[in-house]
Amino acid sequence: MKHRVYMRDWYFNAGIVGFLRVISNDAMPDDLKNIEGLEIGENYLEFEDALLEGFSDKFIRMSFLMLKDLSVYLRKLSIIQQE
């Protein structure tokens, strides 16, 4: 099944950009043309259900890599090991 999402206000469009970053594994914009099942039009994007497979895992991985401070994580691990 195909889904079509149209651009709206800036906040919604930021979500579209985030969606594209996740499904492309943070690829460069030119690489989006090579994603099978994705069509980017003038004011919309259209995608197949298959692009949503594994989306939550990709989202969590990307969020962890972008937002997690490794030094905090390592400190917590060392505290756990000491206990």
Side-chain angles (χ1 to χ4, degrees):
M1 179 175 180
K2 287 189 176 186
H3 305 276
R4 186 176 279 200
V5 179
Y6 289 93
M7 292 173 46
R8 293 196 311 217
D9 57 35
W10 70 269
Y11 197 70
F12 188 83
N13 294 344
I16 292 173
V17 170
F19 172 76
L20 291 172
R21 287 185 69 186
V22 171
I23 65 168
S24 70
N25 293 318
D26 207 17
M28 298 302 290
D30 290 338
D31 295 334
L32 293 173
K33 298 173 191 170
N34 301 326
I35 297 176
E36 189 174 332
L38 175 67
E39 177 187 342
I40 300 177
E42 183 70 27
N43 67 340
Y44 69 91
L45 64 94
E46 189 171 85
F47 59 93
E48 298 279 347
D49 282 342
L51 284 179
L52 298 176
E53 291 176 15
F55 181 85
S56 59
D57 293 333
K58 289 179 183 179
F59 177 80
I60 290 169
R61 181 181 175 279
M62 187 174 192
S63 298
F64 179 80
L65 293 174
M66 289 179 61
L67 302 175
K68 187 64 176 172
D69 183 349
L70 187 57
S71 62
V72 171
Y73 182 70
L74 292 173
R75 266 197 317 270
K76 289 179 182 180
L77 280 178
S78 73
I79 291 170
I80 290 171
Q81 287 176 342
Q82 290 173 359
E83 294 177 349

